[in-house]
C-alpha cells in the first residue's frame, strides 16, 4: 500500500481545487488519507462515488459509534 495523503490539503487559491485533490480524483478516486488526529480513513473524491456512498446503508454519520474517526484528538461531542 502506498503512503497516505495527509489532510487538510493546503489551498493556494480559494476558487481552484488543490492539485493533490485533482490527482486523487484522477488516479485514486477512493484513497487512504491521514487526518490531523492521526486516524487513517478513506477519502472519496468523485461526485458519483460520493453520491453512491451517501445513499448506501453501509455508511454512517453517527459520531457516537465506536471507532468513528475524528479530525482532531479533541472530542467535539459528548460521550454516549
Amino acid at each position: 500500500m502506498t503512503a497516505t495523503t495527509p489532510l487538510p490539503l493546503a489551498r493556494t487559491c480559494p476558487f481552484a481545487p488543490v492539485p493533490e485533490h485533482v490527482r486523487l480524483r484522477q488516479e485514486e478516486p477512493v484513497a487512504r488519507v491521514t487526518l490531523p488526529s492521526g486516524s487513517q480513513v478513506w477519502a472519496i473524491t468523485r461526485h458519483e462515488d460520493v453520491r453512491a456512498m451517501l445513499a448506501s446503508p453501509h455508511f454512517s454519520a453517527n459520531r457516537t459509534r465506536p471507532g468513528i474517526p475524528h479530525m482532531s484528538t479533541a472530542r467535539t461531542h459528548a460521550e454516549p
Side-chain angles (χ1 to χ4, degrees), residues 19-62:
E20 181 65 9
H21 184 269
V22 173
R23 186 196 70 75
L24 287 172
R25 190 174 57 220
Q26 292 172 348
E27 298 174 15
E28 294 181 77
V30 178
R32 292 288 279 182
V33 297
T34 303
L35 300 177
S37 66
S39 297
Q40 290 189 358
V41 298
W42 292 102
I44 301 173
T45 58
R46 292 188 313 187
H47 184 260
E48 58 272 17
D49 295 332
V50 171
R51 287 181 53 93
M53 186 270 307
L54 290 172
S56 172
H58 298 97
F59 296 90
S60 174
N62 182 349

Side-chain angles (χ1 to χ4, degrees), residues 63 69-79:
R63 296 186 305 168
H70 295 277
M71 284 296 287
S72 71
T73 55
R75 300 300 293 255
T76 58
H77 66 279
E79 293 294 326

